[in-house]
Amino acid sequence: MAYHRFDAVIVGAGGAGLMAAIQMAGQANIAVVSKLYPPRSHTGAAQGGISAALGNTEEDHWEWHMFDTVKGGDYLVDQDAAEVLAREAIDAVIELEHMGLPFNRTPEGKIDQRRFGGHTRNFGEAPVRRACYAADRTGHMIIQTLYQQGIRHKVNFLDEFHLLDLIFTDDGQCCGVIAIEIATGEIHTIHAKTVMIATGGYGRAWKVTSNAHAGTGDGMAIPWRRGVPLMDMEFYQFPPTGLYKLGVLLSEAARGEGGILRNNTGEAFAARYAPTLADLAPRDMVSRFIVQEVAEGRGIDGKDYVYIDLTHLPPEVIDAKLPDVTDFARTYLRVEPKTEMVPIQPTAHYAMGGLPTDIDGRVIYDRNATPVPGLYAAGEVACVSVHGANRLGTNSLVDLVVFGRRAGRTMMRDLKTAPLLPLPKDPQFLAEAQLADLRNRDKGENAADIRAELQQMMYDKVFVVRSEQSLTEAAEELKTLRDRYSQVAIMDKGKQYNTDLLEAHELGCLIDCSEATIAGALARQESRGAHFRSDFESRDDINWLAHTLAYRTSGGIQLDKKPVSITRFQPQERKY
């Protein structure tokens, strides 16, 4: 067993983790642990843009951005967090520009901006150009820029180290992590004063998803097993424009540049549901529009998809502003977007829920926002909650840089007084036992089969539209899958690059995240944002204007409620 000691360890090398690391680089001894090579982190898959009320192409104000975020989240957004997001987005984007991020430019040389779903001027009056972008590769440019800054500042990177466990003292203070080095199979104990989780989401729980294979919810499930609650897990986003059957996301930038959704009759149907914003309505609503069209027989040729139409856009606009989006359609569906409409359907994309945190990135334990000492989180793995029941497009990248930066700065301040706590006895024992259980079983269940059944079940019963019946069935099926998982056996008994072992470990994390999602969705008897119950179609502010906290206990999942922070905007009906 290898031992390392740092002032701070950050698990996850996407936008949030790297932004936090840069705040501490050169001032503290820090390490960034990632199961991937950092530029392969999922931030790089984000396409359309990062919103900030710069006002470079038309009038805009941070207050408008805050309002859109709150309304887009169906008023479950903590408004103190939304104000931080909207205010600090402006400075954060300019900081990225100064780091060297190659944004598209206006003729005057300013950062160019475009429209995106749910972003409006004058508190909902009409669409506004707020999304700063680098073609349709904005996330790719952000991850490259931040990684370059990490190298420049000589951050310690532990690449291809897979998180297995968190280390806590007997009185509940986080003091390190346990990870396995993928190349050698060696277990590493990483001792630190502070720990930050920035590992992203768990989209691989669904059959049709935009998430990379690494999106397995490790950073949510492992703290949950250690008693840290998960918040608002019932809110998972299914954007409308995934490539049919594949789930590869066609960025909302396609609609921002003028793409139109069409049904089997050729009708531009979004305007029938959302007269003001039409195709630029928020993601959760547009996905439900598609589901409704399909249910009423207007899917293409009677099937479960519709088209996005880009054929009316000038070819030079498509080439300059949507190069990756259109290449995806050509590569995966053999469709030419300049002349043909592209088949699309909703796809599992983003978790609004996760580890509950305050606005400074500290993980919190209860409805009173009691911090978990030594533990921080930011990015998709965290729930601050700035997205509420539904995230607006481009706000994920804002979330990464704004709250990643705040978490890093908070850790740096806390390090000045934080002691290096002694490790508990045999801190690696639980992680080693879990891996040994998977390795040492000669015969048993196949992890890939269980994963495929989990993904199909989540797609069929915990997707855009849910009901008590579908969720109850999902909960029962998950119990069976969990029992079968306890009997998983792997074929590869070796140590070096044992992906068979690590994928089985990741499956356990997916099962945990799915269980929390189903429990929250069953309990929340209303429809709000991305959580739509066909048996409770209305929003219920009297009983459910609250966050859900899910605790894992020996007797099953225990749920609690946490109040929503309402500062400026009182809840109102969400219309576009």
Side-chain angles (χ1 to χ4, degrees), residues 179-427:
I180 183 171
E181 186 176 1
I182 298 174
T184 64
E186 185 176 15
I187 302 294
H188 291 252
T189 297
I190 305 172
H191 191 184
K193 296 178 180 179
T194 57
V195 174
M196 177 177 171
I197 306 296
T199 52
Y202 63 105
R204 299 308 298 187
W206 282 267
K207 177 184 175 182
V208 177
T209 179
S210 66
N211 280 200
H213 287 283
T216 54
D218 313 2
M220 296 180 187
I222 290 170
W224 196 48
R225 296 167 187 171
R226 287 291 191 173
V228 178
L230 293 174
M231 189 164 88
D232 291 345
M233 291 292 280
E234 60 268 34
F235 296 107
Y236 198 92
Q237 187 169 75
F238 307 99
T241 51
L243 287 182
Y244 180 50
K245 290 187 176 180
L246 299 174
V248 175
L249 189 66
L250 293 190
S251 170
E252 203 165 303
R255 288 184 285 137
E257 296 295 342
I260 299 171
L261 301 181
R262 298 191 185 278
N263 60 19
N264 196 42
T265 68
E267 178 196 7
F269 60 86
R272 182 160 27 91
Y273 297 92
T276 302
L277 294 188
D279 294 281
L280 288 176
R283 296 171 169 186
D284 62 314
M285 300 179 81
V286 178
S287 289
R288 287 198 294 277
F289 302 165
I290 293 173
V291 169
Q292 187 70 19
E293 291 295 295
V294 169
E296 295 178 4
R298 292 186 292 274
I300 305 303
D301 297 329
K303 297 181 181 178
D304 59 342
Y305 68 93
V306 296
Y307 286 133
I308 185 167
D309 182 5
L310 305 175
T311 59
H312 57 288
L313 299 181
E316 60 272 17
V317 170
I318 290 177
D319 290 339
K321 296 186 176 182
L322 302 171
D324 279 3
V325 162
T326 48
D327 273 351
F328 292 156
R330 295 183 192 107
T331 300
Y332 298 116
L333 295 182
R334 298 190 177 183
V335 170
E336 175 46 68
K338 293 178 181 177
T339 59
E340 301 173 271
M341 293 188 286
V342 182
I344 53 99
Q345 67 179 159
T347 181
H349 181 59
Y350 188 90
M352 274 75 75
L355 298 172
T357 73
D358 63 20
I359 59 173
D360 291 317
R362 297 183 185 91
V363 173
I364 57 178
Y365 179 73
D366 55 26
R367 60 187 293 120
N368 299 317
T370 305
V372 178
L375 188 60
Y376 307 76
E380 187 177 354
V381 75
C383 184
V384 66
S385 153
V386 79
H387 306 305
N390 172 66
R391 176 177 67 76
L392 289 188
T394 73
N395 269 359
S396 60
L397 294 179
V398 190
D399 181 4
L400 296 177
V401 296
V402 168
F403 290 103
R405 184 171 68 171
R406 287 179 75 92
R409 291 175 177 175
T410 302
M411 290 173 76
M412 191 64 240
R413 288 196 302 269
D414 292 350
L415 279 175
K416 294 176 181 177
T417 56
L420 184 67
L421 299 170
L423 292 174
K425 183 180 179 182
D426 297 328

Side-chain angles (χ1 to χ4, degrees), residues 8-27:
V9 59
I10 297 167
V11 185
L18 292 178
M19 198 69 178
I22 291 168
Q23 310 311 307
M24 294 183 280
Q27 304 177 72

Side-chain angles (χ1 to χ4, degrees), residues 158-196:
L158 300 180
D159 298 341
E160 298 187 335
F161 279 61
H162 196 129
L163 176 68
L164 298 177
D165 198 8
L166 296 182
I167 306 172
F168 285 91
T169 62
D170 292 340
D171 60 353
Q173 299 189 63
C174 190
C175 60
V177 304
I178 303 295
I180 183 171
E181 186 176 1
I182 298 174
T184 64
E186 185 176 15
I187 302 294
H188 291 252
T189 297
I190 305 172
H191 191 184
K193 296 178 180 179
T194 57
V195 174
M196 177 177 171

Side-chain angles (χ1 to χ4, degrees), residues 43 49-50 92-105 111 132-135 137-146 148-149 397 401:
T43 298
I50 175 170
V93 165
I94 292 171
E95 183 177 355
L96 289 174
E97 180 188 29
H98 291 177
M99 288 180 183
L101 199 150
F103 286 109
N104 278 48
R105 298 285 169 177
I111 296 173
C132 311
Y133 64 97
R137 306 183 182 111
T138 312
H140 175 78
M141 297 305 181
I142 287 176
I143 198 73
Q144 295 289 339
T145 300
L146 293 177
Q148 290 165 5
Q149 291 295 315
L397 294 179
V401 296

Side-chain angles (χ1 to χ4, degrees), residues 64-108:
W64 296 355
H65 187 187
M66 177 188 173
F67 170 78
D68 290 337
T69 298
V70 171
K71 181 180 177 182
D74 219 349
Y75 295 91
L76 200 73
V77 171
D78 283 332
Q79 294 184 24
D80 55 343
E83 180 169 342
V84 168
L85 180 93
R87 277 180 177 272
E88 296 188 9
I90 298 167
D91 176 63
V93 165
I94 292 171
E95 183 177 355
L96 289 174
E97 180 188 29
H98 291 177
M99 288 180 183
L101 199 150
F103 286 109
N104 278 48
R105 298 285 169 177
T106 66
E108 300 78 28

